[in-house]
Amino acid sequence: MHVSPESPRAASARRLAGRLLERLFGPWVHWVTPATLRIDAMAGLLGAVLVLPQGIAFATLAGLPPEYGLYTAVVPCIIAALFGSSWHVMSGPTNANSLALFAMLSPLALAFSPAYIQLALAVTVMVGVLQWLIGALRLGMLANFISPSVLFGFTSGAALLIAVHALPDFLGIAASPEHGAGAVLAHVFTQLPSAQPAALAVAAITLAIALGLRRYRRNWPYMLIGLVVATTLAWVWTRFLGGGATPASSLRLIGQIATPWPRFELPRISWAQASDLVGLAFALTIVALGQAISIAKTVAMHSGQRIDANREFRGQGLSNIIGGFFSSYVSCGSMNRSMPNLQAGARTPLASVFSALLLLALVAVSSQLLAQIPMAALSALLLLVALSLLDFARWRQLFNLSRTDFGVALATMVATVTIRLEMAILLGMLLSLMSFLYRTSRPAMRSMGFDSRAKDRQFVVIDTPDDADAPPHPVLPECPQLKLLRMEGEVYFGATQHVADILHALRSQPNPQKHLLVMAKSMNFIDLAGAELWEAELAARRAMGGNLYFHRPRPEVIRMWRKTGFTDVLGPEHQFSDKFTAIATIFTKLDPEICRHCSARIFRECASVPPPPDAAAAVEPKG
């Protein structure tokens, strides 16, 4: 069959369409082939199977009817995949977002009530707007201020809260009238005698099956299989072993899902409620963005993709804006669906699109069966999620590597359990920034010397003036007139007091070294306060008969000195590009009488100084 050649106008239109699609969705649009579509469809089927039990469980955790978790796995999943940056991240309901939403909205309305649902949808739209603005204004770097320790502490605290709130359904007792972790635990202990054996049995068996499959058949959908077994056991119990009891009196079930299709709905809230939600939306945005960028980067480490944080935020924001109008609550990337998606061989974001569409088909076919899922089985899966989030191995690693980061994570975890979640996150960020500022406010200042008298000798660290416990290096003694000091770190307003104290201590020693050569290669930045500090040090050195010199100051530092006029006061002859040239120049300014009586003689230039008369007489031969 003869195929007519493509006309120039058609070719131009095709190229233009390709460029528009690439600009809108990304370069992956050029990689779509029938082969990639088949692979993405298979990966999408796995994603649909995985999100089915998770969506139901996480919606329950968020205080929403189960179908809202499924809605959140459809529309936001498609939008975030098409307009985001990552090719493999699957968005939808997550445990952290669900828990944060419940903790923040439960004081404002009764969970599962129509008013609560409207608040959840409204705050989702607000979160989406904030996320999109952060991406549009190219403020994605803000996510870098959420340290891994804060996210880990928050995740661990969320895991504890997940476990605590899952206990009533796990035991088959009534829900606690209060939502605080302590109140729920107190309620559970008082209601323990009324625990339902049927609920305990279903939950325990579900947990055992899921744990066993996760351990010995990691590639199997253990959560889905556990849920299927639990539903079968619940049906057997109510049908044959319940003694004619109704399901509600023996095992509490999810119940009929209203509709499997996301429906368009405008959130109905008052202006007063909207003002209450703004602060909560900021906190939820922090939680969602922190998860989104960390998950995207983690997946990208395995796939080799480069992530555009601002595009990812815009995609996540758009998914929440549109999702909020289609019965979805706050969504973001999910690690336990994104990594399987990558491992299943997904090539493009169309795998997420297939996942959402196949989930709709699964729900439409199995809605009657989903209604029979017992709440005790869902609570068992939530406990399993909590157990997975409590990464004890990482806690031990963090404790061994950095006590400061361990303390930040621990404080964030405790705050997550005991106070409002948005305050816990802000507290963790504040502690993390404070620890960073404390570390940078104490830059290292190391005394330098030589390791030998050989020609190829090296500069080495002698000791650390700001660390009395640092063991001295076995090197040659210091020159009594010239101090060699290596500056490591930024000298800004927060660090000037520490640096000034060290410099004052060096000048206040008995018989201090009057001249100071600062090796400034690692002093990357100074501000006005730092420039004024070095000007004060120069004046102090000259007042005691010495001087101040610098070896290889950074261009940024020199620019600041020029702006403040310090370069003119110091003089260009006090800045050196080579240490040995600096020492040779400074040596001519030292007191020759002290040099004559010096026994250290560590510089090569010292060989030109004659020894003192008594030393010369001691070496004369006797005749």
Side-chain angles (χ1 to χ4, degrees):
M1 180 178 177
H2 176 70
V3 179
S4 60
E6 189 178 30
S7 66
R9 179 176 296 179
S12 176
R14 182 174 55 83
R15 288 193 297 269
L16 178 61
R19 287 195 294 269
L20 289 175
L21 287 174
E22 180 178 356
R23 185 173 182 83
L24 189 61
F25 299 122
W28 60 266
V29 296
H30 302 296
W31 311 335
V32 178
T33 64
T36 63
L37 288 175
R38 285 194 299 271
I39 296 173
D40 287 342
M42 293 302 299
L45 178 60
L46 173 63
V49 171
L50 288 175
V51 80
L52 183 58
Q54 293 176 4
I56 295 172
F58 293 158
T60 305
L61 180 63
L64 295 166
E67 59 266 25
Y68 282 81
L70 301 178
Y71 300 157
T72 307
V74 177
V75 175
C77 183
I78 294 174
I79 300 299
L82 293 179
F83 294 95
S85 174
S86 176
W87 304 328
H88 302 98
V89 167
M90 277 193 175
S91 295
T94 66
N95 44 28
N97 283 345
S98 302
L99 181 62
L101 187 71
F102 174 77
M104 294 178 188
L105 295 186
S106 55
L108 304 180
L110 181 64
F112 300 99
S113 67
Y116 183 94
I117 294 173
Q118 295 304 313
L119 291 176
L121 299 181
V123 80
T124 298
V125 176
M126 292 181 180
V127 169
V129 171
L130 290 174
Q131 289 177 316
W132 189 88
L133 285 174
I134 289 174
L137 296 175
R138 309 192 67 80
L139 299 176
M141 48 80 63
L142 292 175
N144 297 330
F145 291 96
I146 309 173
S147 71
S149 300
V150 173
L151 282 177
F152 179 58
F154 172 77
T155 302
S156 299
L160 293 176
L161 287 176
I162 290 173
V164 168
H165 286 283
L167 287 177
D169 284 327
F170 190 93
L171 299 172
I173 61 179
S176 170
E178 300 182 37
H179 302 297
V184 174
L185 283 176
H187 173 77
V188 168
F189 283 120
T190 57
Q191 296 295 319
L192 272 179
S194 59
Q196 296 295 320
L200 274 172
V202 169
I205 293 174
T206 304
L207 193 59
I209 291 174
L211 280 172
L213 289 174
R214 190 178 71 169
R215 180 176 178 84
Y216 298 107
R217 294 290 187 271
R218 297 188 65 89
N219 294 329
W220 290 19
Y222 58 91
M223 293 182 73
L224 182 63
I225 294 175
L227 214 53
V228 170
V229 173
T231 303
T232 304
L233 289 176
W235 182 80
V236 170
W237 174 267
T238 56
R239 184 73 179 269
F240 302 107
L241 304 177
T246 62
S249 61
S250 57
L251 280 173
R252 193 157 63 92
L253 307 180
I254 285 180
Q256 186 66 39
I257 293 179
T259 172
W261 310 102
R263 58 182 180 271
F264 181 79
E265 182 178 4
L266 289 174
R268 297 184 299 274
I269 61 170
S270 65
W271 285 110
Q273 290 174 315
S275 62
D276 291 336
L277 293 179
V278 172
L280 301 181
F282 274 105
L284 278 170
T285 300
I286 293 173
V287 175
L289 288 185
Q291 291 182 89
I293 196 63
S294 59
I295 290 173
K297 287 182 177 179
T298 301
V299 174
M301 286 175 58
H302 293 81
S303 67
Q305 181 195 354
R306 186 174 181 84
I307 296 297
D308 181 348
N310 293 305
R311 182 182 180 90
E312 186 68 19
F313 290 165
R314 291 196 301 271
Q316 292 289 334
L318 194 60
S319 71
N320 279 316
I321 293 173
I322 298 176
F325 293 112
F326 283 91
S327 305
S328 304
Y329 69 95
V330 180
S331 70
C332 72
S334 169
M335 180 65 77
N336 52 14
R337 294 191 297 278
S338 300
M339 287 305 297
N341 182 50
L342 174 64
Q343 293 166 358
R347 296 291 187 268
T348 71
L350 291 179
S352 296
V353 178
F354 282 120
S355 173
L357 297 178
L358 291 171
L359 175 63
L360 283 176
L362 285 175
V363 174
V365 171
S366 59
S367 59
Q368 297 295 325
L369 296 177
L370 296 177
Q372 302 301 314
I373 295 176
M375 296 299 296
L378 284 181
S379 68
L381 294 183
L382 290 175
L383 283 175
L384 182 60
V385 170
L387 184 64
S388 302
L389 292 176
L390 285 173
D391 191 345
F392 297 106
R394 188 175 177 189
W395 277 109
R396 288 193 298 271
Q397 181 188 44
L398 200 61
F399 181 81
N400 293 327
L401 294 179
S402 173
R403 301 296 170 85
T404 301
D405 289 339
F406 177 85
V408 170
L410 183 63
T412 305
M413 182 186 72
V414 173
T416 301
V417 175
T418 55
I419 63 176
R420 291 175 54 147
L421 265 72
E422 69 270 24
M423 298 305 299
I425 296 169
L426 293 175
L427 175 63
M429 292 177 63
L430 179 62
L431 290 176
S432 185
L433 289 174
M434 287 177 61
S435 67
F436 169 77
L437 290 174
Y438 177 77
R439 288 194 296 267
T440 59
S441 69
R442 300 175 61 85
M445 303 171 68
R446 308 185 189 280
S447 296
M448 304 297 293
F450 296 101
D451 58 355
S452 70
R453 299 184 186 274
K455 291 184 178 180
D456 58 348
R457 60 185 180 174
Q458 301 294 323
F459 278 94
V460 294
V461 176
I462 297 177
D463 60 10
T464 308
D466 55 332
D467 186 0
D469 297 329
H473 196 284
V475 293
L476 299 179
E478 290 188 84
C479 170
Q481 298 192 71
L482 175 60
K483 180 71 177 181
L484 306 179
L485 190 68
R486 188 170 72 191
M487 190 78 221
E488 298 178 1
E490 288 69 34
V491 183
Y492 67 104
F493 65 92
T496 52
Q497 187 59 53
H498 172 76
V499 176
D501 290 342
I502 299 300
L503 295 175
H504 180 267
L506 292 175
R507 296 194 308 270
S508 302
Q509 294 176 350
N511 301 317
Q513 297 148 301
K514 297 179 180 180
H515 297 269
L516 174 63
L517 172 61
V518 179
M519 300 175 185
K521 179 182 177 181
S522 299
M523 185 173 67
N524 299 314
F525 165 79
I526 65 169
D527 61 1
L528 179 59
E532 291 174 346
L533 177 140
W534 289 121
E535 189 169 349
E537 179 66 16
L538 174 63
R541 288 284 168 180
R542 288 177 175 175
M544 62 189 297
N547 222 317
L548 177 63
Y549 309 89
F550 290 93
H551 165 249
R552 294 187 66 181
R554 307 286 293 183
E556 295 84 356
V557 174
I558 295 175
R559 281 196 292 269
M560 176 57 73
W561 284 345
R562 286 173 179 167
K563 290 179 181 178
T564 61
F566 177 68
T567 302
D568 298 330
V569 178
L570 177 69
E573 69 278 5
H574 286 231
Q575 300 176 38
F576 302 93
S577 59
D578 176 75
K579 288 190 285 287
F580 294 101
T581 302
I583 291 173
T585 303
I586 300 171
F587 182 81
T588 61
K589 305 179 187 301
L590 302 182
D591 187 337
E593 190 62 25
I594 297 179
C595 289
R596 288 189 62 194
H597 294 84
C598 175
S599 60
R601 297 185 175 245
I602 61 171
F603 302 132
R604 294 172 182 169
E605 292 76 8
C606 296
S608 62
V609 179
D614 53 347
V619 297
E620 287 181 0
K622 296 181 179 180

